[in-house]
Amino acid sequence: MDNANLSRMWRVFKTTKEMCADRGYSVPEHELNITFDEFKQEYGRDDGDVDRTKMNYSCQPSESMLLKYSDPPTEKNPNPEPQIGTIWVEFNGDDNAGLKHLRDYMHFLNQGNFYSGIMITPKQMTGMALRFLRTSTTIDEGPKGGVEVFVEQDLLVNITKHELVPKHVLLSAEEKKQLLSRYRLRETQLPRIQQSDPVAKYLGLRRGQVVKIIRKSETAGRYASYRWCI
């Protein structure tokens, strides 16, 4: 009989691949569609459990993602540098992952010149580690793009595939500028979405970004609304 944890981690692994692809990273099709048998052969151990250390991987941003994360060109800066880069996804198997694990992970990201990182843990990190995490983008030891932490339980199912969850599309800086100009709004006048919102977290939304939410309507077919991430 297959180990239940192996099946569980296969689902978590698939969700992380889908999450990276939905954010705009380049993920090969065969990795998105990995079967349980393929996962078991690649990442299973002789005792029937999973080898999390083999599951770690990196992703490069696609061309469209690089454009979306670049500021509009100006005379002073005709070729703005994208505010995104290679991400490293790591599966930490320690039930008591805390501050030391987080610091070690950030050190690894810096050494490998990764722009950002996602750490997946079996259980919630310690309170001290989570407080440290909130300031990771403003401290020298953290990677430029920061670190995100997910608990395995939250990745068993891809929430964006639920029929009640509308499609969320991140606007580029240029698209955001055009939206505000078209409706003569300030960004603070837009409805808000918390960075901790499950879909915002799934998409890795940053404070200040605007997301377009597309819903189905019986009368209009589809209609869009916009949220400002805080």
Side-chain angles (χ1 to χ4, degrees), residues 17-25 27 158 160-161 202-203:
K17 290 286 185 178
E18 292 165 355
M19 181 169 69
C20 286
D22 287 343
R23 291 184 181 195
Y25 292 98
V27 181
N158 185 337
T160 64
K161 291 187 174 182
Y202 176 90
L203 293 175

Side-chain angles (χ1 to χ4, degrees), residues 96-153:
N96 299 306
L99 188 56
K100 183 182 183 305
H101 297 86
L102 199 52
R103 286 186 183 276
D104 289 346
Y105 181 53
M106 288 180 176
H107 179 71
F108 169 80
L109 295 175
N110 285 338
Q111 291 293 104
N113 290 318
F114 293 104
Y115 189 89
S116 59
I118 292 176
M119 180 185 279
I120 295 129
T121 58
K123 296 181 180 178
Q124 189 69 269
M125 275 192 161
T126 63
M128 187 178 293
L130 292 175
R131 285 193 294 273
F132 177 77
L133 186 65
R134 295 189 192 104
T135 61
S136 62
T137 54
T138 59
I139 55 177
D140 293 337
E141 63 185 292
K144 192 172 183 180
V147 170
E148 302 166 63
V149 174
F150 286 84
V151 180
E152 291 173 0
Q153 182 70 28

